[in-house]
Amino acid sequence: MRRLSIASAATLAILAGPVVLAGQALAADLPRRSYQQPAYNSVPPAFTWTGFYLGLNAGTVWGDFTNAGKFIDTKAGFTGGVTAGYNYQINNVVVGLEGDYNYSGMGGRGFAVPGPTFVQGDLTSFGTLRARLGMSFDRALIYATGGYAFGFSSLESGGFKSDTTHNGYVLGAGLEYAFTQNISAKAEYLYMPLDAKNSLVIPGYGAGSKTGVDANVIRAGVNYRF
C-alpha cells in the first residue's frame, strides 16, 4: 500500500510538471502594466511690462521757430537718442516714467524784414521727462504720454550768434510690442512746444527779439527690459 502511494505521487508530479511550465510560460507572455513617470510640462511665466528698461530711438523732427524766428524757413531733420524708463503693470493697465535725450537736425534760414537781415536757426538737441499711461494686450502696449520738455537752439543774425535753452511741455502717443521677455520695439509721435526767449538781437527788432520752437517728432525705438 505504501509503495502504491509513493508511485501515485510520483506519477502526479510527472504529469503536473508540463502544466506548471506551461503556466509559467503563459504568464511570461501576458502583458504587464509598467509604471511611467508623468511628463513634466513647464508653463512659461505670464508676460509683464513691469521693470526697468534702456533703449535707443531714431526718427524725424520738424516744426517752426516762433516770434522773431518766424522768418526762418525750417527744414525737417534727423533725430536720434537714448531712452531710460520704468513700467509698472496693474492688471492690463501700465503706468510708467520715461526720460530721453536726443540729437536734433531741425533747422533753417531766412531773412528778417526790414533789412533784409539774414537769420539762421537750429534746434540742436532736446530732451523730455514724461509719464506714460497705457493699456496692455499681452505683449502689445498702447499708451499716451506727456510731461516736461527742454531744448537747445542756436540762432545767428547780423554776425551775432547765441545759444539758448528752452523749456516747455510734450504730449504724445505710441505703440510698443515685446518680441521677447527682454526686447521690445516702439513707434511714437510727440508734440513739443518750447518757450520763446530773448535769444538774439536781430537788427530791426532790438534786444526784445524772442524766438521759440514748435517741434514735432515721429520716431521708432528699441528697448532692452531688465
Side-chain angles (χ1 to χ4, degrees):
M1 180 65 70
R2 184 176 180 184
R3 291 181 179 178
L4 180 60
S5 299
I6 294 174
S8 300
T11 302
L12 289 175
I14 294 173
L15 293 176
V19 175
V20 171
L21 293 176
Q24 292 176 347
L26 181 61
D29 292 337
L30 291 176
R32 297 181 180 181
R33 294 186 63 184
S34 60
Y35 174 76
Q36 293 183 351
Q37 180 136 7
Y40 176 71
N41 296 324
S42 61
V43 178
F47 181 81
T48 176
W49 287 94
T50 297
F52 291 95
Y53 59 90
L54 295 174
L56 300 173
N57 68 77
T60 301
V61 54
W62 77 97
D64 295 297
F65 289 91
T66 60
N67 296 339
K70 65 186 177 182
F71 304 105
I72 301 172
D73 183 16
T74 308
K75 306 296 183 183
F78 169 80
T79 179
V82 294
T83 304
Y86 179 79
N87 289 321
Y88 186 75
Q89 183 169 345
I90 308 170
N91 296 325
N92 290 337
V93 177
V94 178
V95 294
L97 184 67
E98 182 174 282
D100 58 71
Y101 185 70
N102 315 273
Y103 162 82
S104 169
M106 171 184 152
R109 61 182 61 192
F111 292 93
V113 291
T117 300
F118 170 78
V119 182
Q120 179 170 333
D122 297 282
L123 177 65
T124 57
S125 63
F126 66 91
T128 70
L129 180 61
R130 296 171 284 108
R132 296 206 310 173
L133 176 62
M135 181 67 68
S136 71
F137 302 89
D138 191 26
R139 294 177 179 266
L141 174 66
I142 299 175
Y143 62 89
T145 184
Y148 168 72
F150 63 94
F152 300 96
S153 70
S154 174
L155 290 171
E156 183 177 355
S157 177
F160 297 95
K161 184 178 180 180
S162 70
D163 297 318
T164 305
T165 302
H166 303 269
N167 298 287
Y169 65 91
V170 59
L171 297 173
L175 170 65
E176 188 168 359
Y177 184 82
F179 294 98
T180 69
Q181 289 286 340
N182 301 105
I183 298 176
S184 63
K186 69 177 182 180
E188 66 183 3
Y189 165 78
L190 301 176
Y191 171 63
M192 185 175 59
L194 303 176
D195 60 359
K197 289 189 174 181
N198 294 338
S199 303
L200 193 67
V201 177
I202 299 177
Y205 290 85
S209 300
K210 292 185 178 182
T211 301
V213 181
D214 276 346
N216 301 270
V217 178
I218 288 183
R219 63 188 182 185
V222 177
N223 292 328
Y224 182 85
R225 304 172 55 255
F226 297 94

